[in-house]
Amino acid sequence: DAGVIQSPRHEVTEMGQEVTLRCKPISGHNSLFWYRQTMMRGLELLIYFNNNVPIDDSGMPEDRFSAKMPNASFSTLKIQPSEPRDSAVYFCASSHPLAGYEQFFGPGTRLTVL
Amino acid sequence: EDQVTQSPEALRLQEGESSSLNCSYTVSGLRGLFWYRQDPGKGPEFLFTLYSAGEEKEKERLKATLTKKESFLHITAPKPEDSATYLCAFTGGGNKLTFGTGTQLKVEL
């Protein structure tokens, strides 16, 4: 299996621009998670989906952030408008219903907002 | 509030020098305690899940243990390739994991 796939791997944008991060979970996994990692705050859960339905979005910092999962093999995290404080590494992870609560992470997208 | 604290923040070992990393937790109704390894520029890699006090799991030079208040990741005779950041996380039920801030391990020749 290819594992969790994220794109792009690096994104540099200017403040105010829209940013879209993409994720393809492992085939057969029915839960998908978006995390943000910074030196100051560590790894934080932003939102997660079960069977394509958002379950908990309490970690989404503000209305500028939105996430969708239109089907079982694709999800997006959008930031509009972006701000310098959004600079971080964003990870997508997925898990299988019969594998306990183990989550498998993608390689991440490093976002820099200038 | 449920939380997890990892110590030390950073640890430097000589090759072959065994040690332990600590993960202290206060969780009402722990359903799982997880250990992950993260290399620079990569996503966390799953290592172990522990479900109940007294449980132990091993993988190569790593052994994870769990008590009612904390978990330890024991590293026996480490090698330079064991250098990484080790993260612990917990769930009180459901799919949501809460991560600690990690221990950055450096193993030197």
Side-chain angles (χ1 to χ4, degrees):
Chain A
D1 199 315
V4 175
I5 299 172
Q6 292 187 247
S7 64
R9 293 295 312 278
H10 302 273
E11 178 81 28
V12 179
T13 190
E14 294 188 346
M15 182 175 64
Q17 295 298 305
E18 178 179 297
V19 175
T20 299
L21 311 182
R22 296 172 176 80
C23 175
K24 177 179 170 56
I26 295 172
S27 177
H29 285 197
N30 74 331
S31 295
L32 183 139
F33 308 82
W34 282 102
Y35 289 87
R36 178 173 67 178
Q37 187 174 44
T38 63
M39 289 292 293
M40 292 296 294
R41 301 175 67 91
L43 194 61
E44 302 175 285
L45 178 66
L46 299 177
I47 184 171
Y48 80 90
F49 297 81
N50 278 352
N51 297 316
N52 311 338
V53 177
I55 301 301
D56 185 343
D57 65 354
S58 59
M60 296 285 264
E62 47 198 276
D63 292 344
R64 297 184 299 106
F65 287 69
S66 63
K68 294 182 179 180
M69 192 166 185
N71 56 62
S73 59
F74 183 67
S75 178
T76 59
L77 179 67
K78 185 177 294 186
I79 308 173
Q80 166 64 19
S82 58
E83 298 183 2
R85 58 193 169 120
D86 301 330
S87 297
V89 181
Y90 291 81
F91 289 103
C92 176
S94 68
S95 68
H96 189 281
L98 299 181
Y101 302 109
E102 301 161 9
Q103 296 179 16
F104 296 86
F105 284 75
T109 295
R110 180 173 296 276
L111 174 64
T112 303
V113 184
L114 303 174
Chain B
E1 180 184 352
D2 294 345
Q3 61 180 355
V4 60
T5 303
Q6 292 190 245
S7 63
E9 291 186 6
L11 181 62
R12 180 170 288 184
L13 300 173
Q14 295 296 311
E15 185 175 14
E17 180 186 2
S18 301
S19 187
S20 298
L21 312 183
N22 178 264
C23 174
S24 298
Y25 63 90
T26 52
V27 180
S28 53
L30 181 75
R31 295 297 183 91
L33 189 292
F34 303 80
W35 283 97
Y36 282 80
R37 169 191 172 128
Q38 186 174 23
D39 292 297
K42 295 188 177 181
E45 176 187 351
F46 171 76
L47 293 174
F48 304 109
T49 308
L50 302 167
Y51 292 102
S52 58
E55 189 175 1
E56 300 182 352
K57 289 191 177 176
E58 290 189 63
K59 180 180 180 180
E60 297 180 355
R61 295 176 293 282
L62 301 177
K63 183 169 77 172
T65 62
L66 181 66
T67 72
K68 289 185 178 180
K69 294 183 178 181
E70 56 195 349
S71 178
F72 291 94
L73 185 64
H74 307 277
I75 304 176
T76 301
K79 298 181 177 182
E81 53 261 43
D82 294 322
S83 298
T85 295
Y86 291 86
L87 301 167
C88 75
F90 69 86
T91 179
N95 290 344
K96 185 174 181 177
L97 297 187
T98 301
F99 281 82
T101 53
T103 293
Q104 192 171 358
L105 174 66
K106 174 73 172 178
V107 182
E108 299 174 331
L109 291 169

